[in-house]
Amino acid sequence: MRGRARTTVLALAALAVAGAVWVWLTLPPASIPQPAAVPATHLLGAYHVHTIRSDGSGTVDEVAAAASRAGLDFVVLTDHGDGTRPPLPPARRSGVLILDAVELSTRDGHLVALGLDGPAPYPLGGAARDVMEDIHRMGGLAFVAHPDSPKAELRWRGPAASSDGFEWLNVDSEWRNESPGRLAATLVRALVRPPEAVASLFDGRERPWSTGRRAQVGIAALDAHGAGSREENGQPGGWLGAMSPVPGYESLFRTLAQVAVLSGPPRGNAAEDADAIRNALGRGQSYTVIRAFADPGVLIMTAVEDGRPISMGESLAGGAIAFEAELAGVPDARVTLFDRGRRLADGIGRVTWEGQPDDEAVLWVEGRIGGHDFPWIVSNPIFGRAIRRGPPARDAPVAAGVADALAPDDQWLAEHDPSSQSSHVGGGAELQWRFTLGRETSASPYVALVRAIPHGRGYRDVSFRMQGDRPMRVFVQVRLPGTGDGQRWGRSVFVDQTLRQYVLRLEDFEPIGQTTSLRPVVVEIRSLLFVVDTVNTLPGSSGAVTLVDVALGHGDGEASGGR
């Protein structure tokens, strides 16, 4: 028995040694230290970080301390929420500037709202286009989160063209399509080189910088949730805690950085510097560095058109340009200039190019180092003059055409769940609607003002004027016959104390639940509904709405109103 035990111990020791040798031989290359000095205007940041305020493991102070140890200048927090939580004011903690954003859940995927001017007056949710509209109304930027996540419920399904930018790389998405064997091996390697092990999972991908004719800037997201060893997170712990294979905040902060390029050095005022960083990220004046490959990385990129310098994120005027990009202090890195995925020029340490890009050009630079297939540095693009920047314009005026007015008489009915209340009175062309939502979310509180409409006519739009007693969203819906509550399509509108004209195209209405067609079958529409529910209204809330001149349009006519 003693001999058998000894044999077993020796066999296990041999396996341990073999495993250690295998781990050592298959380790990803260590990050290459670089001599480049980072300019004072290039600030290293971590974007998309969660704390204990949502599903992260660290406090804000612990995140800041980890970022300080990793040599970062700023962190953008993106805890999950609905926008009603007051954002933390910009502040330096452990010498790191903390910016507070929020990751919102929409019907079409997740959006990060950065730079809201305060808490939202109602929960931000529903269709992505409506949430983006609210973010822009509140002075914020809307970035699409993990748009190509392998996890279906996290993947983006909405209109990317309405956003300010998107996450071209999301670290939390990179492991989701890996085999269990590769993940297990990566976790073991992460015991020795955590940042390098994480970066070894990064896959090659297209850079969809522009959707249609609207430019989106890109940003690299850590989507960090913490975990890792207790020592890494600044807490005392034994040897077992130090062996945690799950990289924590500091390791992820050393994996990649989004570098914001400011017009001047930071001023030392937290609010002013936070505005400068937000502006740089929103304008696309930033680039990504995979620190796990080499650190630091500095990109100097510009184009000159008719004597005017053009920076990342800006648009050309249509003339010839002289382009230059340099990876400062790294003479042996390969630099490539792309236009919509086509290589225009290559160089070692720097790349130059002269020519006249077409109006739909999308020019960006990638740098590679150390034999890695994945790029080390990725710039934001310079755009051709035909590619528009910024939030889309509001809907153009709609030709209301011939309209069937729906007078506010006794044909308007109330629908609501048992816990909610709804009442309305009308006279002439005006209707007053008051409501109170129930407090129990399990009852799915809602109130609706409903009107049956003539059957068999092909309506094109619904028009009305509306105001509320406070900022809110009202869901305008049409209903067709069907099982249960029937089939419905709808669109949300923003309402406040100003009486506004609305003309909504029925072709823009989106399905609600299961429907037999993507758009409403207009000749079969039986009901028009104005709905308030907990998507954009807190349970227990009361409100009042004034509704004027409700009509359904068909045929041709003069242009009237907008949104």
Side-chain angles (χ1 to χ4, degrees), residues 43-105:
L43 303 187
L44 277 67
Y47 165 85
H48 199 146
V49 178
H50 296 275
T51 73
I52 58 173
R53 296 181 304 168
S54 59
D55 55 352
S57 67
T59 65
V60 175
D61 285 334
E62 288 168 350
V63 167
S68 178
R69 294 192 299 271
L72 296 184
D73 298 301
F74 69 91
V75 171
V76 178
L77 303 178
T78 58
D79 282 302
H80 297 279
D82 60 9
T84 58
R85 180 185 66 228
L88 295 174
R92 284 185 168 82
R93 305 191 187 201
S94 299
V96 176
L97 183 58
I98 302 297
L99 287 73
D100 197 15
V102 58
E103 185 173 2
L104 304 165
S105 295

Side-chain angles (χ1 to χ4, degrees), residues 127-484:
R129 64 174 292 168
D130 298 330
V131 178
M132 291 181 195
E133 179 187 287
D134 287 338
I135 292 171
H136 292 147
R137 182 184 297 107
M138 295 180 64
L141 299 169
F143 285 95
V144 176
H146 36 71
D148 55 356
S149 173
K151 191 174 182 179
E153 54 265 40
L154 296 179
R155 193 176 308 135
W156 183 250
R157 303 172 299 280
S162 299
S163 69
D164 296 286
F166 61 91
E167 295 175 0
W168 78 268
L169 174 65
N170 180 288
V171 174
D172 189 57
S173 296
E174 291 300 301
W175 62 267
R176 294 182 182 273
N177 60 352
E178 301 294 346
S179 67
R182 188 180 183 195
L183 281 178
T186 302
L187 287 173
V188 175
R189 296 181 187 116
L191 294 171
V192 183
R193 291 178 183 163
E196 292 88 344
V198 172
S200 71
L201 297 178
F202 295 173
D203 297 324
R205 68 191 64 222
E206 295 294 326
R207 315 280 186 261
W209 300 117
S210 181
T211 301
R213 297 174 65 85
R214 182 175 299 281
Q216 268 75 48
V217 301
I219 194 166
L222 289 171
D223 212 344
H225 294 76
S229 69
R230 293 177 61 83
E231 282 85 351
E232 182 187 0
N233 291 314
Q235 304 174 39
W239 66 271
L240 186 60
M243 295 295 286
S244 170
V246 180
Y249 291 116
E250 184 177 345
S251 290
L252 289 177
F253 294 161
R254 295 183 185 276
T255 300
L256 67 80
Q258 190 68 24
V259 182
V261 181
L262 310 187
S263 58
R267 299 183 178 182
N269 179 283
E272 292 181 0
D273 292 342
D275 285 342
I277 292 170
R278 281 192 292 259
N279 289 337
L281 297 177
R283 291 195 305 263
Q285 293 177 357
S286 70
Y287 58 91
T288 302
V289 176
I290 309 300
R291 303 180 73 193
F293 294 169
D295 188 49
V298 177
L299 171 67
I300 308 298
M301 169 180 157
T302 189
V304 177
E305 180 184 36
D306 298 329
R308 180 175 72 101
I310 309 292
S311 301
M312 286 182 293
E314 295 182 339
S315 297
L316 301 167
I321 67 168
F323 180 93
E324 181 176 358
E326 177 185 2
L327 301 182
V330 190
D332 58 345
R334 176 166 293 277
V335 194
T336 304
L337 171 64
F338 292 92
D339 179 6
R340 289 161 292 184
R342 177 173 61 92
R343 293 174 181 264
L344 285 186
D346 285 285
I348 302 298
R350 63 192 292 267
V351 63
T352 60
W353 182 81
E354 293 186 0
Q356 184 162 350
D358 64 41
D359 288 348
E360 296 184 1
V362 182
L363 306 173
W364 80 91
V365 162
E366 296 185 6
R368 284 174 167 77
I369 195 171
H372 294 283
D373 292 331
F374 198 84
W376 170 42
I377 289 180
V378 178
S379 79
N380 259 299
I382 290 173
F383 300 101
R385 67 175 179 178
I387 300 179
R388 294 173 295 143
R389 288 299 321 279
R394 291 183 178 271
D395 292 348
V398 179
V402 180
D404 291 340
L406 302 179
D409 52 26
D410 58 6
Q411 296 184 52
W412 286 91
L413 302 174
E415 293 182 6
H416 54 84
D417 72 283
S419 68
S420 301
Q421 300 176 5
S422 175
S423 63
H424 57 276
V425 294
E430 182 173 308
L431 185 146
Q432 301 290 334
W433 179 31
R434 295 184 178 277
F435 60 85
T436 300
L437 286 184
R439 295 185 178 278
E440 297 298 326
T441 56
S442 60
S444 299
Y446 78 93
V447 293
L449 194 60
V450 186
R451 170 66 189 263
I453 60 177
H455 177 52
R457 186 185 291 275
Y459 292 108
R460 185 185 60 185
D461 57 68
V462 55
S463 62
F464 54 90
R465 289 185 291 154
M466 184 185 290
Q467 73 179 100
D469 61 345
R470 56 185 171 77
M472 66 177 74
R473 274 199 172 270
V474 176
F475 211 178
V476 184
Q477 302 177 9
V478 292
R479 183 163 61 194
L480 275 66
T483 58

